[in-house]
């Protein structure tokens, strides 16, 4: 250890909502996501990330306050994710097929 203090930026990535309507890109809102998260797609006001151990859905309906809405545990590391109306479907090889609703809220709300 070099005696360096913990820096949140070393261990996190951000989901940032940008507005490109003007002459540049203005930041509307932002939230921390796992540094290993991979954005898999956006459907309406939901952003879907693949994270270690599963899939995470972020609600981005209010661009000023995006938040983690749901987590779905999965086995393996799915190679693709299909978005279908109100759910996403994940072919999971020997683990079968996962199907999860985009509208489910299964995480505790953030309170400030």
């Amino acid at each position: 250890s070099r005696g360096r203090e913990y820096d949140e930026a070393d261990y996190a990535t951000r989901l940032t909502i940008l507005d490109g309507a003007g002459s540049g890109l203005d930041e509307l809102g932002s939230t921390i996501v796992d540094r290993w998260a991979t954005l898999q797609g956006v459907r309406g006001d939901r952003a879907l990330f693949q994270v270690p151990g599963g899939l995470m859905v972020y609600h981005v309906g209010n661009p000023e306050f995006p938040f983690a809405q749901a987590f779905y545990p999965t086995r393996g590391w799915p190679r693709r994710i299909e978005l279908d109306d109100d759910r996403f479907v994940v072919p999971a090889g020997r683990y079968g097929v996962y199907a999860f609703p985009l509208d489910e809220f299964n995480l505790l709300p953030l309170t400030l």
Side-chain angles (χ1 to χ4, degrees):
S1 171
R2 296 181 176 180
R4 188 173 146 212
E5 289 186 33
Y6 171 82
D7 183 0
E8 178 183 277
D10 288 343
Y11 301 98
T13 300
R14 289 198 161 275
L15 165 62
T16 302
I17 310 299
L18 301 172
D19 179 9
S23 61
L25 292 176
D26 296 321
E27 182 177 321
L28 298 177
S30 169
T31 191
I32 293 174
V33 298
D34 186 274
R35 73 179 177 142
W36 295 106
T38 303
L39 180 64
Q40 295 295 323
V42 176
R43 175 67 52 116
D45 54 3
R46 306 297 195 275
L48 177 63
F49 285 87
Q50 191 166 339
V51 298
L55 301 166
M56 183 75 83
V57 177
Y58 280 81
H59 192 284
V60 295
N62 177 356
E64 295 175 0
F65 187 66
F67 63 92
Q69 168 189 316
F71 173 76
Y72 301 102
T74 60
R75 292 184 174 209
W77 196 259
R79 295 185 183 187
R80 75 176 201 266
I81 298 170
E82 303 291 332
L83 295 170
D84 177 40
D85 292 330
D86 60 348
R87 66 184 180 153
F88 58 95
V89 179
V90 182
R94 65 183 176 163
Y95 300 111
V97 176
Y98 295 111
F100 302 112
L102 283 170
D103 294 332
E104 182 174 325
F105 289 76
N106 66 14
L107 297 176
L108 296 174
L110 176 65
T111 56
L112 302 174

